[in-house]
Amino acid sequence: MTDPLVEIKDLRIHFFTDEGVVRAVEGIDLNIKPGKTLCVVGESGSGKSVMALSLLQIIHKPGQIVDGQILYHRGRVAGGQFSQNGAVDIASLNRKGRDIRSIRGAEIAMIFQEPMTSLSPMYTVGNQVMETIRLHEKGISKKEARERAIDILRRVRIPKPERLIDEYPFRLSGGMRQRVMIAMALSCTPSLLIADEPTTALDVTTQAQILDLMLELQQEFNMAIMFITHDLGVVAEIADDVAVMYLGNVVEYSDVDTIFNAPEHPYTQALLRSIPKISATRQPLDMIEGMVPSPFRRPGGCPFHPRCTQALASCSTVVPSLTTLHENHIVRCLLHEETGEEVPRG
Amino acid sequence: MADQTPNTEPVDAAEENILLDVKNLKMFFPITEGIFSQVKGYVRAVDDVSFFIRRGETLGLVGESGCGKTTVGRCIARAYEPTGGQVLFHDNGRSVDLAQMDRKALGPYRKDIRVIFQDPYSSLNPRMTVFEIVSEVLKVNKLIPESEFEQRVAEIIQLVGLRPEYIRRYPHAFSGGERQRIVIARALVTEPRLVIADEAVSALDVSVRAQILNLMEDLRQRFDLTYLFISHDLSVIRHICDRVVVMYVGQVIEVAGVNDLFTTPQHPYTEALMSAVPILNPRQRHLQKRIRLEGEVADPSNPPSGCYFHPRCRFAEAKCAVEKPPLRKLANQDRYVACHFAEELDLQGAVMT
């Protein structure tokens, strides 16, 4: 097994609102491997986006990382070498400090769902791509930055980048805007790219183009991708590993083949059964009863137990711990606690 | 293009059991300029669209954003005034053209054609209770005496899977899936003939989406409803539809039964759409032969010559840039395609998983 690039350990993120505490992330343990694609799937309210934001320390008030570690092994690339810097605990860094600012955007970059709202309408595409480059590479001249920007736009397959660099974002289509976002994210060759639903707002054919592009660039730049999505079709296409989240927990983690062909957690199983299949006829869909509970009323015990068809009596009281079924397959469910062995905390 | 004759052969509405017949529908939006709003051009959002819906079927309408599928739905519901064409509604042995009717004459038909919208958060008025939301249409159209509202609303709310006690609550008290059930109740309370579902499940979570799809199918059978199901999600279309209309830049390029469309597409654009359907099994990733469309979707205010798809089509020939292919019925089949070379091409369907 390769050493992880990022190790998330027992991460807890709570939002202290007037109506009460929302436990958006409630004890996540997760590893991101260098050069690989980790897909994080979950429904709305599962905490997947909040977890992603915490990797960059950009969680807004009243949200707060209350516990846990995010160990980022700086300079660990797919080859497996360590740099002299060693590990940084992102969770403990000051949000506005120099350390996180040198990581944010340069080593860990992020692209967002809606490419129109994440690009400024007031600046040209070139301004925005060059800003990232000039911020992180001191002493680079304006001319050099512009050349770098044109080069990176060409690498995300934008036609005629010399012309497009002086356009404003409103002139671009959704797919082109998302390419610009990707170009900005890649301009400093990050070791981890976090993509939060980057293709959800795009059409299917454009989505296919962007996914292909991201995988090609991953090879070229040798970076890890953490891909957040609710679309299992996308997961099946691009993931190496998959983490399934439900109400602030990772309920199952494994390689993509195991998740789709031998899932063990009842939620993963139900989720896979509930999606319409291209080959199937008009049978009623298997569905998960009920709905994702309100974040203020997080069920006790296993958070999935009110909707789980295989729930035991103890599921409503006992919080299941992480159980390793075999290498690279971890599940958080009481049904498997006797068979597997508990993951040692550390 | 405006002077084009109807390019589908006439179909007998009674024989084919047709509920709604859309003929050469056009919806152009003017592009204006300057303080006097001079019209300098038109966005041809819907440009000569013809298709029909049979009674009791679920017709899918697919296409990428900006292809005009929502505009078609709104023209049928007469939220827009179509620029041209006909929307023939056949019911109880009568046929009326909804496209040409004035607002007053439309009144009685408003209850027959109802719409389910995409976003259950913005389509419900936060200041109205569920009872007010669902009964509003009954009140405005004076469909039943006001004394019966309460009972009717309670019935329909129960049918869509909500508890009748909830009807005094406001929308904020409900989750996305429950809100979509309220939207469905509002659409069905008038006992419509045709329901236009515009991306009705696109905004919902995966586990809730299955519930709503099952509910819609259940209600269709129970009330003998006809759906026009507008969506960009091909796996949902595949699941719920009988026949599918594929649109590209304001035009219909293919109409076919759902099985035929997914296994043997006849138009190169349909083939590209099918190849973009995600494969739900990581073991079959290698089967995907994705067709990469070059370039961008054409601009509906300045469409290309000939076939609108020709600049991106991998089979395009000289003829395609000059002559626009009419939507024609394929011999001995219940399908229509707008491509000069439909019979000659051997196109790939979606990978079945």
Side-chain angles (χ1 to χ4, degrees):
Chain A
M1 245 170 103
T2 43
D3 292 318
L5 177 73
V6 178
E7 288 174 81
I8 300 176
K9 289 182 177 172
D10 200 29
L11 183 69
R12 281 163 210 273
I13 302 167
H14 294 179
F15 284 75
F16 298 92
T17 68
D18 292 342
E19 292 106 284
V21 178
V22 175
R23 292 178 288 168
V25 171
E26 188 65 359
I28 285 187
D29 297 78
L30 198 59
N31 289 347
I32 303 171
K33 297 173 191 165
K36 297 280 186 200
T37 305
L38 169 72
C39 277
V40 179
V41 264
E43 300 182 83
S44 38
S46 62
K48 52 194 195 303
S49 291
V50 171
M51 192 237 321
L53 295 177
S54 72
L55 288 173
L56 292 173
Q57 274 280 9
I58 46 175
I59 291 175
H60 289 282
K61 288 254 157 74
Q64 208 180 317
I65 299 178
V66 291
D67 199 8
Q69 287 181 307
I70 303 170
L71 293 180
Y72 167 50
H73 297 276
R74 268 188 132 158
R76 187 183 280 182
V77 285
Q81 323 93 311
F82 287 85
S83 79
Q84 57 275 55
N85 289 328
V88 189
D89 180 11
I90 292 177
S92 69
L93 294 180
N94 178 359
R95 277 191 328 131
K96 293 179 177 163
R98 183 184 291 252
D99 290 333
I100 188 67
R101 291 218 315 259
S102 70
I103 293 173
R104 199 186 281 154
E107 295 177 36
I108 302 180
M110 186 156 179
I111 51 180
F112 299 91
Q113 173 170 3
E114 195 17 89
M116 193 60 216
T117 48
S118 25
L119 287 171
S120 167
M122 309 287 285
Y123 294 92
T124 63
V125 165
N127 280 150
Q128 302 186 49
V129 179
M130 279 151 63
E131 185 191 13
T132 326
I133 299 172
R134 297 189 71 201
L135 203 69
H136 288 288
E137 295 186 29
K138 305 283 181 233
I140 192 168
S141 77
K142 233 178 171 166
K143 198 158 163 273
E144 278 174 292
R146 190 181 163 86
E147 275 162 19
R148 279 270 299 276
I150 292 176
D151 178 54
I152 193 84
L153 289 173
R154 187 172 292 124
R155 287 170 88 171
V156 296
R157 319 242 188 306
I158 283 179
K160 304 194 193 80
E162 309 79 15
R163 255 185 40 209
L164 186 127
I165 193 166
D166 295 317
E167 293 283 7
Y168 288 87
F170 77 90
R171 299 263 299 169
L172 308 179
S173 67
M176 282 297 150
R177 283 182 207 140
Q178 200 55 285
R179 282 167 202 264
V180 171
M181 283 299 296
I182 294 174
M184 284 168 67
L186 297 186
S187 57
C188 295
T189 55
S191 49
L192 171 63
L193 176 68
I194 302 171
D196 189 357
E197 307 255 11
T199 59
T200 307
L202 304 177
D203 282 316
V204 273
T205 54
T206 319
Q207 164 170 302
Q209 288 171 3
I210 296 288
L211 293 180
D212 285 351
L213 174 71
M214 287 182 69
L215 292 187
E216 277 175 45
L217 292 169
Q218 179 177 33
Q219 298 282 316
E220 209 175 312
F221 287 81
N222 200 6
M223 63 186 172
I225 295 181
M226 181 160 106
F227 198 103
I228 296 165
T229 182
H230 66 272
D231 187 340
L232 289 160
V234 171
V235 176
E237 295 227 336
I238 64 161
D240 292 308
D241 294 308
V242 183
V244 182
M245 287 187 68
Y246 188 78
L247 278 185
N249 281 135
V250 173
V251 294
E252 187 162 8
Y253 169 88
S254 192
D255 59 87
V256 66
D257 191 64
T258 311
I259 290 286
F260 277 85
N261 293 305
E264 290 293 348
H265 196 283
Y267 177 63
T268 318
Q269 293 169 348
L271 207 55
L272 283 166
R273 277 200 305 269
S274 72
I275 33 180
K277 311 272 184 306
I278 287 296
S279 57
T281 45
R282 267 168 103 159
Q283 299 294 318
L285 293 168
D286 284 318
M287 53 194 193
I288 307 179
E289 292 295 335
M291 49 208 73
V292 181
S294 147
F296 295 107
R297 290 190 293 272
R298 200 173 184 276
C302 168
F304 186 59
H305 84 264
R307 304 175 76 190
C308 183
T309 49
Q310 304 169 46
L312 310 168
S314 49
C315 286
S316 57
T317 47
V318 183
V319 179
S321 52
L322 288 173
T323 313
T324 304
L325 296 178
H326 33 82
E327 195 197 350
N328 212 26
H329 190 179
I330 298 169
V331 64
R332 191 189 274 275
C333 178
L334 287 185
L335 292 172
H336 298 285
E337 282 207 355
E338 293 105 58
T339 50
E341 51 186 293
E342 202 176 318
V343 176
R345 277 277 156 75
Chain B
M1 262 165 283
D3 57 359
Q4 211 176 26
T5 46
N7 46 27
T8 47
E9 47 195 276
V11 276
D12 184 354
E15 196 181 306
E16 290 268 6
N17 199 14
I18 286 171
L19 179 67
L20 191 86
D21 199 356
V22 177
K23 283 185 177 166
N24 307 94
L25 184 70
K26 295 186 187 74
M27 183 72 223
F28 297 170
F29 294 100
I31 307 168
T32 55
E33 203 175 56
I35 49 167
F36 298 112
S37 300
Q38 272 186 323
V39 176
K40 63 163 191 169
Y42 289 94
V43 175
R44 297 161 164 265
V46 175
D47 194 357
D48 210 12
V49 160
S50 302
F51 63 87
F52 55 82
I53 309 177
R54 294 196 181 99
R55 230 166 292 246
E57 79 173 344
T58 302
L59 182 74
L61 190 53
V62 284
E64 299 185 87
S65 45
C67 75
K69 54 189 192 300
T70 295
T71 311
V72 167
R74 291 188 177 173
C75 285
I76 294 173
R78 273 300 302 272
Y80 290 147
E81 207 138 310
T83 313
Q86 291 177 299
V87 178
L88 298 175
F89 184 61
H90 307 285
D91 198 30
N92 295 332
R94 290 167 301 142
S95 295
V96 287
D97 183 4
L98 301 175
Q100 303 304 326
M101 253 179 209
D102 60 45
R103 289 178 65 100
K104 208 167 172 188
L106 266 173
Y109 298 99
R110 293 279 189 208
K111 70 169 180 21
D112 289 326
I113 300 180
R114 304 282 292 156
V115 187
I116 299 171
F117 296 97
Q118 171 170 8
D119 183 359
Y121 287 85
S122 55
S123 58
L124 295 176
N125 186 339
R127 289 165 185 264
M128 288 164 82
T129 63
V130 173
F131 174 75
E132 286 166 337
I133 287 169
V134 177
S135 66
E136 190 183 24
V137 60
L138 301 173
K139 196 167 169 181
V140 170
N141 291 299
K142 303 191 179 66
L143 295 177
I144 53 171
E146 220 156 303
S147 55
E148 294 170 24
F149 282 7
E150 184 98 29
Q151 198 198 342
R152 172 72 78 87
V153 172
E155 269 170 29
I156 196 85
I157 280 294
Q158 227 165 342
L159 274 173
V160 299
L162 294 174
R163 307 244 297 264
E165 302 93 276
Y166 291 173
I167 64 171
R168 300 287 162 205
R169 296 195 185 171
Y170 288 88
H172 73 85
F174 297 93
S175 72
E178 289 171 317
R179 281 171 199 234
Q180 200 59 308
R181 289 174 194 267
I182 299 170
V183 175
I184 292 173
R186 175 175 63 184
L188 297 188
V189 73
T190 62
E191 297 174 344
R193 309 289 301 145
L194 173 69
V195 175
I196 300 168
D198 189 357
E199 304 274 10
V201 295
S202 305
L204 303 176
D205 273 321
V206 192
S207 68
V208 178
R209 197 170 62 180
Q211 294 172 2
I212 298 293
L213 285 174
N214 284 351
L215 173 70
M216 287 182 68
E217 180 63 19
D218 183 41
L219 293 169
R220 185 186 70 82
Q221 289 172 3
R222 192 187 292 229
F223 295 108
D224 198 18
L225 292 170
T226 304
Y227 284 132
L228 176 63
F229 200 94
I230 303 171
S231 181
H232 69 277
D233 188 331
L234 292 164
S235 54
V236 170
I237 287 283
R238 164 79 193 172
H239 176 75
I240 201 165
C241 295
D242 299 302
R243 288 192 311 134
V244 184
V245 175
V246 185
M247 284 184 72
Y248 183 74
V249 196
Q251 299 193 318
V252 173
I253 54 120
E254 188 164 359
V255 184
V258 68
N259 271 325
D260 294 338
L261 192 84
F262 278 75
T263 51
T264 55
Q266 297 285 326
H267 193 286
Y269 176 67
T270 316
E271 184 194 31
L273 271 187
M274 293 305 151
S275 80
V277 172
I279 296 181
L280 262 177
N281 187 343
R283 287 183 189 163
Q284 291 177 315
R285 267 184 204 172
H286 62 282
L287 294 176
Q288 186 72 286
K289 295 189 196 82
R290 186 156 288 151
I291 299 157
R292 277 200 191 190
L293 290 180
E294 298 299 324
E296 299 277 316
V297 176
D299 176 2
S301 63
N302 183 22
S305 61
C307 172
Y308 286 2
F309 188 59
H310 87 267
R312 306 176 78 191
C313 181
R314 57 196 184 123
F315 304 106
E317 291 181 22
K319 185 185 180 188
C320 300
V322 189
E323 199 183 317
K324 187 166 132 177
L327 184 70
R328 59 200 168 90
K329 191 173 192 302
L330 291 182
N332 305 322
Q333 289 185 69
D334 183 23
R335 61 193 295 181
Y336 299 80
V337 61
C339 176
H340 292 304
F341 304 107
E343 284 88 352
E344 291 143 53
L345 298 175
D346 181 24
L347 304 177
Q348 295 290 317
V351 177
M352 294 294 153
T353 44

